[in-house]
Amino acid sequence: MEIGVPSRRTYAKKINLPCAPLKVLNMSESMAHYSVHIGTVQRSLGQNAIASAAYNSRSKMSLNVTDKETNITVQFAWDYRNKSGLAYSKIYVPDHVIADASAAEWIYNRELLWNKAEYAENRCNAITAGKIMIALPNEFSIAQNVDLIDEIAGELSAFGMIVDCNMHNDDENNPHLHIMHTTRELVANRYGELEFSRIKNRDWQGREWVKFVREFAADKINKHYGLNGFDVRVSHQSYKDQGIDLI
């Protein structure tokens, strides 16, 4: 049975995002830079979740690949420990995982987590992780951006995904957040242990997901601009959609 893509209203109900469209900002309000990119880690492009996670977290990580015919395991490694700029790093999990102490052994271990995500996929063209990159307000301190990240990642994990967050601040004028999220939910097997579902959650990719994430991120950034006393806002909409004529 194919899983349909829920409407924005369905997403909004899940995480208490207003169902009404965000208001169009008038020209008297200061507009801040807004940049959000949503993508995937795709084997067909020569990508893998381990390499992406190692880069994001500025760490050394290894991917273990076992040949099914020979049963020989080969290890590939990526080392980004010499790259600077990591300001914050945390893995966020759904509430039911937090309550399961036995899950911490591999779910909170970035290398084990993404090896399991890779192992859950059999196809040579599989998507092994989702990616979101968000430009963070450069007006914020690191602590203020961490508060913003906590809210964004906490609400995304409420969908059932594991959310791996890393904030880069190597350029103080361009702080940004790298998010990787799993494509499968965690379910209990017959032994009561958590593992990735055999069914991929298709709602976490595609056009509707991209539209939702862009508006969701703008809503959270604007909320924190207000909380931190800044009279500026961002919009996920194009100038045309906002009714702004730049000519």
Side-chain angles (χ1 to χ4, degrees):
M1 177 179 178
E2 184 177 354
I3 300 175
V5 177
S7 66
R8 180 182 179 278
R9 184 172 297 275
T10 303
Y11 285 128
K13 184 177 180 181
K14 177 72 175 178
I15 61 172
N16 299 318
L17 185 68
C19 289
L22 294 178
K23 71 182 184 71
V24 175
L25 302 177
N26 62 56
M27 293 302 288
S28 65
E29 295 180 287
S30 298
M31 295 293 292
H33 173 68
Y34 176 74
S35 178
V36 172
H37 299 278
I38 299 99
T40 56
V41 175
Q42 303 181 57
R43 283 182 181 164
S44 61
L45 299 178
Q47 302 169 344
N48 68 79
I50 295 294
S52 295
Y55 173 82
N56 291 348
S57 61
R58 301 297 196 248
S59 59
K60 180 179 180 180
M61 295 173 59
S62 299
L63 171 65
N64 299 313
V65 179
T66 302
D67 186 281
K68 293 183 178 180
E69 294 183 2
T70 64
N71 204 35
I72 295 175
T73 298
V74 179
Q75 187 176 84
F76 301 89
W78 292 265
D79 190 351
Y80 294 98
R81 290 175 295 180
N82 289 331
K83 289 191 69 68
S84 61
L86 183 66
Y88 180 70
S89 182
K90 183 177 178 179
I91 294 173
Y92 296 78
V93 300
D95 288 343
H96 73 279
V97 176
I98 295 175
D100 189 339
S102 65
E105 180 181 352
W106 66 270
I107 291 176
Y108 291 99
N109 182 312
R110 187 170 279 112
E111 186 173 42
L112 293 177
L113 167 64
W114 292 113
N115 265 282
K116 282 187 175 287
E118 285 284 339
Y119 186 76
E121 307 297 336
N122 295 317
R123 298 176 61 177
C124 63
N125 62 346
I127 291 174
T128 58
K131 298 190 297 183
I132 305 170
M133 187 170 72
I134 302 173
L136 299 170
N138 57 19
E139 301 93 339
F140 288 5
S141 66
I142 290 179
Q144 288 171 331
N145 269 321
V146 168
D147 288 341
L148 171 59
I149 293 168
D150 280 342
E151 183 163 353
I152 290 173
E155 294 195 14
L156 288 176
S157 68
F159 285 125
M161 62 177 63
I162 300 174
V163 182
D164 185 358
C165 289
N166 291 276
M167 174 185 171
H168 292 177
N169 198 36
D170 43 323
D171 179 353
E172 62 181 15
N173 294 315
N174 183 32
H176 54 278
L177 170 64
H178 288 274
I179 292 176
M180 286 178 60
H181 65 80
T182 55
T183 61
R184 299 173 185 268
E185 298 180 54
L186 290 172
V187 296
N189 61 23
R190 60 179 178 175
Y191 304 108
E193 301 166 334
L194 289 175
E195 62 182 25
F196 285 118
S197 171
R198 295 183 179 181
I199 301 175
K200 183 170 290 190
N201 194 320
R202 304 291 180 182
D203 295 344
W204 300 344
Q205 62 187 69
R207 182 174 297 180
E208 289 301 316
W209 175 249
V210 170
K211 289 169 61 179
F212 164 74
V213 171
R214 285 183 54 80
E215 185 168 353
F216 166 72
D219 181 74
K220 294 305 175 186
I221 291 170
N222 286 334
K223 174 183 175 181
H224 281 256
Y225 267 131
L227 290 174
N228 290 309
F230 291 95
D231 190 24
V232 293
R233 295 293 183 269
V234 299
S235 176
H236 67 287
Q237 297 175 318
S238 67
Y239 286 125
K240 180 180 178 180
D241 290 339
Q242 294 179 62
I244 298 174
D245 187 358
L246 298 180
I247 300 177

